[in-house]
Amino acid sequence: GDEPHTLAPPYLPELNEFYARPPHFKYNELRIEPGRVGLVIDAADHDTSLYALPIADMMERLFGMAGYEAKLSPGGLIARQLIARLGGLQGARVFKIPGVRRLLRTHGPTASFTKRGALQLIGARDPENPGAKFSDHEDLYIEQRAGGTKLRPPAVFDYLVEKGLFRIGAELTCPSCRMPSWTALDALKQRVVCELCGHEHDATRQLVNGEWHYRRSGVLGRERNAQGAVSVVLTLQQLETNLDGGLDRDIYSPSLNHEPKEGVDLPKCEVDFVWVVPGRYPERTAVILGECKDQGPIKLDEFERDVENLRRVADSLPRHRFQTFVLLSKLAPFTPEEIEKARTLNDKYHSRAILLTARELEPYMLYERTKAQFDIRGYAGTPEELAEATSAMYFKEQLSG
């Protein structure tokens, strides 16, 4: 239940000394073995103890094998805090609902809105995507509710506020400057000071006759990174649900800044997430490098640069230890130009491109909707199966060749 730590690191014997020190302190009494951890003990010892390994430190050492220094980026810190607020990756199920994502896109960090307006956005159809509707998610589980009860927009909004993604307050108009301003419930009093002009006034009548207004909380308060964090945690949630290992064995990290070490010819870049599947010997450890986009338009040159950077990072990992995949997720369909660029990640002998859109991220099973359009199964439990499904959907002529 402690997602930033693990007791099941991947089989990378090159990291034995690192693996030993945080969990056991004694570098020469612990070693990683295929599928397990080995301890050297005295014949008279009857017990010992191990501490969990910090995943952030493990990721730093893992990419150090490729010539990189990897640290959590500002976007990664936001994603990590968002996951913590939601109580873990499965709390991100709420972002499967298109109306929830639309609510975040509509109202920036300084904008306030009423509950009535929020419910309209959550429950209404999206003009940009008429096929997406709230009724598709009436059976979605986000928290306990009475048996047989369908999920409704009010319950979704209550959940978001309770998890601290939105704060409650009041929008009050100052009688001096005539400008409205928002005051958080925790700081609200009958006599308030206008934050715009400094005038103190009695807000009793406005409070009695008004209604609550809501605003994004600090975790979603950065306009530039909020939507990116949502697409990242939603993609991670879907991987946790669908990959066979799950978090019993799999390890993940949100966005990492990759800085090449001195003298290493590699690009400086940001990877939106890293998902590590420890291999069962003699299988290699699988590493999924992810790039996540919202549903807004993407400049083609930006997309090409992201794909090329991910390719370089994937190729830099030692092949005798790692099998690499590149996952591109987008909350809108990929354009033909983007698909053609993603195709270049594959070669004749290795399919490693994985493409996911809202069509795959919103259902419980990845390909629950997609299988109606393509000859594929409704689920995929390994990175290899994800890449195979992507090839069947987008690169079919490549496979036939």
Side-chain angles (χ1 to χ4, degrees):
D2 183 6
E3 294 185 5
H5 296 81
T6 183
L7 284 166
Y11 177 60
L12 301 172
E14 294 89 343
L15 302 183
N16 262 338
E17 183 174 344
F18 162 71
Y19 281 156
R21 289 191 184 277
H24 198 56
F25 301 116
K26 299 178 181 179
Y27 77 93
N28 59 349
E29 292 187 4
L30 180 149
R31 71 177 185 184
I32 192 71
E33 298 178 356
R36 62 191 180 189
V37 172
L39 286 173
V40 178
I41 63 172
D42 189 275
D45 290 343
H46 55 79
D47 66 79
T48 188
S49 61
L50 291 176
Y51 293 91
L53 187 71
I55 289 177
D57 294 346
M58 196 214 79
M59 290 292 180
E60 184 177 343
R61 299 309 194 285
L62 186 153
F63 285 102
M65 297 172 65
Y68 271 112
E69 293 180 0
K71 302 285 186 183
L72 273 174
S73 70
L77 293 172
I78 291 175
R80 189 171 67 175
Q81 289 302 313
L82 182 56
I83 293 167
R85 283 285 184 97
L86 294 169
L89 285 179
Q90 290 307 317
R93 293 179 184 181
V94 71
F95 296 128
K96 291 178 179 291
I97 303 170
V100 171
R101 305 196 300 268
R102 188 163 63 252
L103 176 62
L104 290 170
R105 284 196 305 273
T106 301
H107 299 290
T110 60
S112 62
F113 54 89
T114 64
K115 181 177 181 178
R116 182 171 60 253
L119 296 183
Q120 289 174 350
L121 286 172
I122 293 173
R125 287 181 179 267
D126 187 349
E128 298 178 4
N129 185 15
K133 52 189 183 298
F134 184 86
S135 59
D136 293 337
H137 305 278
E138 289 181 339
D139 294 323
L140 178 67
Y141 178 85
I142 58 173
E143 61 182 345
Q144 188 174 0
R145 58 182 185 265
T149 304
K150 298 292 186 180
L151 185 64
R152 295 289 182 250
V156 174
F157 186 67
D158 292 351
Y159 175 84
L160 294 169
V161 176
E162 185 179 18
K163 291 297 183 180
L165 303 189
F166 298 105
R167 297 179 66 195
I168 308 173
E171 191 170 272
L172 305 173
T173 300
C174 173
S176 177
C177 68
R178 309 285 180 142
M179 296 285 287
S181 61
W182 183 85
T183 304
L185 177 60
D186 295 340
L188 199 58
K189 298 180 293 185
Q190 285 186 247
R191 293 196 64 83
V192 298
V193 176
C194 175
E195 65 176 18
L196 300 176
C197 71
H199 175 73
E200 183 179 356
H201 62 96
D202 189 335
T204 303
R205 293 293 181 94
Q206 293 188 61
L207 292 172
V208 169
N209 298 318
E211 59 181 326
W212 294 120
H213 282 69
Y214 299 82
R215 183 188 278 189
R216 281 192 199 174
S217 72
V219 73
L220 290 177
R222 293 192 178 185
E223 179 70 46
R224 193 174 70 87
N225 290 319
Q227 286 302 118
V230 167
S231 59
V232 168
V233 298
L234 180 55
T235 304
L236 290 171
Q237 181 276 328
Q238 198 67 315
L239 291 179
E240 183 191 53
T241 299
N242 286 267
L243 293 186
D244 289 338
L247 283 186
D248 291 338
R249 290 182 55 83
D250 293 0
I251 301 162
Y252 78 90
S253 171
S255 182
L256 294 169
N257 278 334
H258 284 65
E259 182 89 29
K261 295 181 179 179
E262 187 176 353
V264 177
D265 182 22
L266 287 171
K268 178 181 178 181
C269 62
E270 181 178 359
V271 177
D272 282 346
F273 73 82
V274 178
W275 190 278
V276 178
V277 184
R280 296 171 175 85
Y281 190 79
E283 297 175 0
R284 292 172 292 168
T285 293
V287 176
I288 303 175
L289 306 172
E291 177 69 26
C292 304
K293 302 291 187 183
D294 190 35
Q295 70 180 54
I298 306 171
K299 294 181 179 178
L300 184 58
D301 60 341
E302 177 186 334
F303 185 84
E304 291 176 344
R305 183 174 62 251
D306 290 338
V307 169
E308 188 58 31
N309 286 341
L310 289 173
R311 181 206 314 279
R312 296 282 303 278
V313 176
D315 290 344
S316 69
L317 289 165
R319 294 194 178 187
H320 71 288
R321 292 295 182 204
F322 300 101
Q323 183 180 12
T324 57
F325 298 86
V326 175
L327 189 155
L328 307 171
S329 73
K330 184 181 175 186
L331 295 174
F334 287 96
T335 66
E337 293 80 10
E338 292 167 349
I339 293 170
E340 194 60 32
K341 187 61 182 178
R343 177 203 296 271
T344 64
L345 291 165
N346 294 342
D347 57 37
K348 184 177 180 180
Y349 303 103
H350 185 197
S351 293
R352 62 177 177 180
I354 300 170
L355 302 185
L356 301 177
T357 67
R359 180 183 58 192
E360 288 78 41
L361 297 176
E362 289 179 358
Y364 181 80
M365 302 303 292
L366 269 167
Y367 299 118
E368 187 177 315
R369 299 177 185 172
T370 314
K371 67 179 181 180
Q373 303 177 35
F374 302 95
D375 185 20
I376 60 173
R377 297 183 301 175
Y379 63 92
T382 66
E384 292 88 346
E385 291 175 348
L386 290 173
E388 290 169 3
T390 296
S391 293
M393 293 156 53
Y394 295 104
F395 317 134
K396 192 171 183 179
E397 65 276 14
Q398 184 186 57
L399 289 182
S400 62

